[in-house]
Amino acid sequence: VPVRPGDSRRPPKALPHLACGRRGQQVRSDRDKFVIFLDVKHFSPEDLTVKVQDDFVEIHGKHNERQDDHGYISREFHRRYRLPSNVDQSALSCSLSADGMLTFSGPKIQTGLDATHERAIPVAREEKPSSAPSS
């Protein structure tokens, strides 16, 4: 159903069976860690590809046609997430639980100072004259 300007109706949401799974996805980014949870219960580890390219993680799943209770089915998905700039890309990890939950995570690098805060640098008075050249 097309939505016209000024129309308060929202377009229908994607049907649940078209998503990756019933539990779907969840992305968490807190002070110490960045984590993606993705339900991929219809895929085995060899059906999944996870790669980092520039500032993005790409997760792709595809399996060939298989027979199920209703006939034959094939599935494929592609997800792309932007990594926070302070994620330590050398320490990323990915695991698949027995119940089909993919967990991708990486620690955040602690910079010590938050870039949005200002810090005053005190000026100390020295008793000796400067050794800098005079003009």
Side-chain angles (χ1 to χ4, degrees):
V1 175
V3 177
R4 294 184 184 100
D7 191 347
S8 64
R9 294 180 297 155
R10 294 181 181 259
K13 291 186 177 181
L15 298 174
H17 67 279
L18 297 178
C20 276
R22 291 183 188 160
R23 294 176 289 177
Q25 68 176 343
Q26 184 178 17
V27 179
R28 290 187 195 159
S29 185
D30 61 27
R31 199 175 132 236
D32 301 320
K33 196 176 199 183
F34 175 76
V35 185
I36 300 168
F37 299 100
L38 190 59
D39 183 353
V40 294
K41 69 180 171 204
H42 298 291
F43 299 89
S44 60
E46 47 283 344
D47 296 335
L48 298 167
T49 304
V50 179
K51 65 181 178 179
V52 174
Q53 187 171 10
D54 299 322
D55 292 336
F56 291 89
V57 59
E58 296 182 16
I59 303 171
H60 179 247
K62 180 178 182 176
H63 68 68
N64 295 328
E65 194 172 80
R66 298 178 183 167
Q67 188 169 5
D68 69 3
D69 295 340
H70 307 287
Y72 291 88
I73 189 166
S74 63
R75 290 184 175 93
E76 182 175 10
F77 75 90
H78 187 117
R79 298 269 182 180
R80 190 169 182 242
Y81 304 90
R82 181 181 293 277
L83 292 171
S85 60
N86 61 342
V87 166
D88 183 356
Q89 291 196 17
S90 65
L92 296 173
S93 66
C94 192
S95 63
L96 182 62
S97 68
D99 65 343
M101 185 61 71
L102 182 84
T103 304
F104 174 90
S105 65
K108 290 188 176 177
I109 299 167
Q110 300 303 317
T111 59
L113 291 177
D114 192 349
T116 61
H117 289 92
E118 199 174 281
R119 183 170 74 109
I121 308 297
V123 178
R125 180 180 296 268
E126 293 186 10
E127 297 302 320
K128 339 185 247 188
S130 168
S131 58
S134 58
S135 43

